[in-house]
Amino acid sequence: MQQAVPVGIGSMAAVLGMEASAIEEVLASMDDVQIANYNCPGQIVISGKKEAVEAAAESLKAAGAKRVIPLKVSGPVSYTHLT
């Protein structure tokens, strides 16, 4: 993944305490960020360009997410929105 995505370009964050459908609704109007993993009810991971993940985190918190935690990863899981 490090070779596919240069350091600092992509990011991931765990969204806690929010229904998947609500997260999907918030992200639907945003570019360069998507759901990467449905870990369990109440914990979903988003992935994309760093700036898009940061903007999504703020929008998700405003929409009711209990927490949005940036994940320390060398590259995001999904590269599709980074190209």
Side-chain angles (χ1 to χ4, degrees):
M1 288 305 296
Q2 276 184 320
Q3 292 175 345
V5 181
V7 174
I9 299 294
S11 181
M12 298 179 80
V15 182
L16 306 176
M18 191 172 199
E19 294 290 325
S21 59
I23 296 170
E24 292 164 352
E25 187 175 320
V26 170
L27 297 185
S29 64
M30 303 184 83
D31 293 327
D32 300 322
V33 61
Q34 65 184 15
I35 291 177
N37 195 35
Y38 295 83
N39 286 347
C40 64
Q43 185 184 48
I44 293 175
V45 176
I46 61 173
S47 176
K49 286 188 177 178
K50 183 177 185 228
E51 296 82 10
V53 171
E54 290 168 352
E58 293 306 314
S59 294
L60 291 163
K61 286 185 230 176
K66 288 186 181 177
R67 292 182 71 193
V68 180
I69 303 169
L71 301 177
K72 294 181 181 183
V73 294
S74 58
V77 170
S78 175
Y79 183 65
T80 59
H81 286 224
L82 299 177
T83 56

